[in-house]
Amino acid sequence: MNIQIQDKNVLNVMAKFKERSEIGIKKYNATLEREDYTLVNWLREAQSEAMDFALYCEAAINKIERDERLKHEYKQSK
């Protein structure tokens, strides 16, 4: 595949996909083309990933709100 891409963000994401694929192949000794997973297996995997994503978002939101609250409290104490 010889594709010319100028957008560094796209290139960064592509590199991350490649790295993630290599890690998965080493860990599971299989690609996503595996035949042992049913559609339900794939959907459960996707659901688990989506739940993890929601938890990461919640943790990040809480950190931002906590940092903003601390910054506000610090400004008021001066």
Side-chain angles (χ1 to χ4, degrees):
M1 177 176 16
N2 187 9
I3 300 172
Q4 297 297 325
I5 298 172
Q6 296 177 356
D7 189 321
K8 289 181 183 178
N9 294 301
V10 173
L11 291 170
N12 288 339
V13 170
M14 289 173 67
K16 289 176 184 180
F17 271 123
K18 182 180 181 298
E19 180 182 353
R20 185 158 174 81
S21 176
E22 290 168 353
I23 290 169
I25 291 168
K26 284 179 187 172
K27 184 174 181 179
Y28 299 105
N29 199 32
T31 68
L32 292 178
E33 297 172 46
R34 57 194 291 176
E35 297 293 331
D36 60 325
Y37 261 34
T38 65
L39 184 55
V40 170
N41 291 129
W42 287 115
L43 290 169
R44 285 195 175 125
E45 288 289 336
Q47 185 181 50
S48 293
E49 295 293 334
M51 289 188 290
D52 287 345
F53 177 73
L55 293 172
Y56 302 151
C57 289
E58 183 67 17
I61 289 166
N62 287 335
K63 179 172 179 17
I64 291 167
E65 290 176 342
R66 184 174 52 251
D67 291 351
E68 288 296 317
R69 189 172 52 252
L70 290 172
K71 187 189 308 182
H72 179 72
E73 290 171 3
Y74 177 76
K75 285 181 180 179
Q76 284 188 337
S77 70
K78 284 188 159 190

